[in-house]
Amino acid sequence: MFFVRTASEGDLKAVSALLGRSWHATYDTLYGADKVDEITAAWHSVEALKTRLKRPDSEFVVADDGKVIGGMAYAAMAEDEVDVAVLHMIYVEPGLTGQGIGRDLFAEVETCFPSAKRMRLEVEPKNERAVAFYTGLGFAEVGWTKNCGTQNSGIPALILEKTLSF
């Protein structure tokens, strides 16, 4: 059984490895393994994760069963909109999907931003499993971007939002 807790610096190596496995399992067929290696090296290195962990107005959580990290989520308040929280990452170990870990992670981060009226995320439109997961949580499409994650990434994404109510 997994429980959700705040991530620590000691978790980052395991989280980085989990992100690599998850991205390869999901995106190798879409972007190719080399592009996935490039993205995970830039976005999911221990140093990149450490920066996120230390960011004010953010929440970085892991699903932990005492032996392994089964998933992770990271969200932060938008830098340019005072009432929007952005879900930057939510990933589950590929062999553990479908067990409710993603829902548990989301349930935790969703409640961490009392000043937010909306939560926003970007998702690869060809990642049908993720799109279905997010729409099942109440997210709806509000737009598109040509550069998911970072400026000039060249990765298209749907922009989804959910109204938050406390």
Side-chain angles (χ1 to χ4, degrees), residues 58-114:
S58 69
E59 189 67 26
F60 194 140
V61 297
V62 294
D64 185 350
D65 73 353
K67 296 177 187 171
V68 299
I69 301 295
M72 63 78 59
Y74 171 76
M77 288 300 294
E79 293 179 9
D80 56 350
E81 295 177 83
V82 297
D83 66 344
V84 175
V86 179
L87 180 62
H88 292 278
M89 297 191 285
I90 187 165
Y91 293 97
V92 173
E93 182 68 46
L96 298 174
T97 58
Q99 297 182 28
I101 295 170
R103 282 191 181 276
D104 290 347
L105 289 163
F106 179 73
E108 179 64 27
V109 297
E110 178 183 37
T111 64
C112 291
F113 304 96

Side-chain angles (χ1 to χ4, degrees), residues 9-159:
E9 206 168 306
D11 296 319
L12 298 182
K13 186 175 178 184
V15 169
S16 178
L18 177 150
L19 289 168
R21 289 187 297 273
S22 181
W23 268 70
H24 279 290
T26 304
Y27 296 112
D28 278 3
T29 57
L30 297 175
Y31 306 138
D34 290 342
K35 181 68 173 177
V36 170
D37 282 339
E38 177 186 321
I39 292 168
T40 57
W43 296 358
H44 307 139
S45 68
V46 170
E47 284 306 311
L49 295 173
K50 191 181 297 184
T51 299
R52 291 178 186 260
L53 184 67
K54 293 179 179 182
R55 181 179 169 190
D57 296 322
S58 69
E59 189 67 26
F60 194 140
V61 297
V62 294
D64 185 350
D65 73 353
K67 296 177 187 171
V68 299
I69 301 295
M72 63 78 59
Y74 171 76
M77 288 300 294
E79 293 179 9
D80 56 350
E81 295 177 83
V82 297
D83 66 344
V84 175
V86 179
L87 180 62
H88 292 278
M89 297 191 285
I90 187 165
Y91 293 97
V92 173
E93 182 68 46
L96 298 174
T97 58
Q99 297 182 28
I101 295 170
R103 282 191 181 276
D104 290 347
L105 289 163
F106 179 73
E108 179 64 27
V109 297
E110 178 183 37
T111 64
C112 291
F113 304 96
S115 65
K117 294 185 177 15
R118 295 171 288 147
M119 184 166 277
R120 181 179 300 142
L121 62 88
E122 297 175 353
V123 62
E124 162 63 63
K126 293 178 185 171
N127 185 350
E128 294 173 0
R129 184 177 189 146
V131 172
F133 173 75
Y134 293 125
T135 56
L137 292 172
F139 284 87
E141 182 180 339
V142 295
W144 282 81
T145 181
K146 293 180 182 178
N147 295 299
C148 181
T150 59
Q151 193 173 38
N152 301 319
S153 71
I155 300 170
L158 286 171
I159 300 171

